[in-house]
Amino acid sequence: MLRYNSLSDLELVELLRTGDQNAFAEIYERYFELLYLHAYNRLRDKDEAKDLVQELFSHLWSKRGTLEPKTNFSNYLYTWVRNRVLNAIAHKQVEEKYRAALPGWISGTEALTDHRVRERQLAAIIESEIRALPPKMREVFELSRKSNLSYKEIAEKLNLSEQSVRSHVKNALKVLRMRLGILLYLFFIFYK
């Protein structure tokens, strides 16, 4: 019987490329905690760090057939996490910039009325993009964000695993970020 914990990273990657779930599990066991700590030390947010590392492993599994064994697989994993952390930090800085600018936008009655109109327009755009999500992803996302159910409650209600629920929410957010990113940018530029 093959002992996965005694295999090198390169051997595990080769097995992973063939769809070997045990090789994937060993890579996960070997690196999850280290990568989580690496992400958490930068982000200081447990859930965000955990989601980021889960996204990496989801990416690894979905791209397993095209993975090219690297001479230093751990560097590949750390680089992937570092890049996503830097993206998350940059995104937070943009959010803070908009949050800081918001009070200036809402000065006066006219600006407040205009803001409410834009808020409704933006809500309609966001709702439209949510309706465009695949049915199961949309259902999970709405239960999470609109009904404020926990991942565990959603999993029990829909007879899914918590990991599936987390993946649906994460993927929905990813799709919405991609679809809404440019729209929000243009919305704020043209409606200052």
Side-chain angles (χ1 to χ4, degrees), residues 6 61 84 104 110 112 192:
S6 64
W61 182 254
R84 293 313 183 278
E110 187 176 306
L112 184 59
K192 274 188 179 178

Side-chain angles (χ1 to χ4, degrees), residues 73-86:
F73 185 63
S74 63
N75 278 352
Y76 169 79
L77 297 175
Y78 278 103
T79 300
W80 195 96
V81 169
R82 186 195 71 224
N83 289 340
R84 293 313 183 278
V85 164
L86 293 175

Side-chain angles (χ1 to χ4, degrees), residues 4-6 12 21-31:
Y4 289 87
N5 62 354
S6 64
L12 288 171
Q21 292 178 358
N22 292 324
F24 178 77
E26 177 59 32
I27 292 169
Y28 184 92
E29 288 297 317
R30 203 174 276 187
Y31 286 104

Side-chain angles (χ1 to χ4, degrees), residues 140-177:
V140 170
F141 182 79
E142 288 179 338
L143 287 171
S144 170
R145 294 308 193 257
K146 291 182 179 177
S147 300
N148 294 318
L149 296 180
S150 70
Y151 289 165
K152 185 176 183 175
E153 292 169 323
I154 296 168
E156 289 171 0
K157 183 174 183 155
L158 300 179
N159 198 23
L160 296 171
S161 70
E162 276 188 67
Q163 182 55 43
S164 291
V165 170
R166 182 181 300 276
S167 292
H168 279 301
V169 171
K170 177 185 60 78
N171 289 335
L173 289 171
K174 185 187 223 180
V175 167
L176 291 173
R177 258 187 251 126

Side-chain angles (χ1 to χ4, degrees), residues 1 9 72 87 90 93-94 108 135 142 157:
M1 183 167 155
D9 287 350
N72 194 336
N87 288 346
Q93 290 171 343
V94 169
E142 288 179 338
K157 183 174 183 155

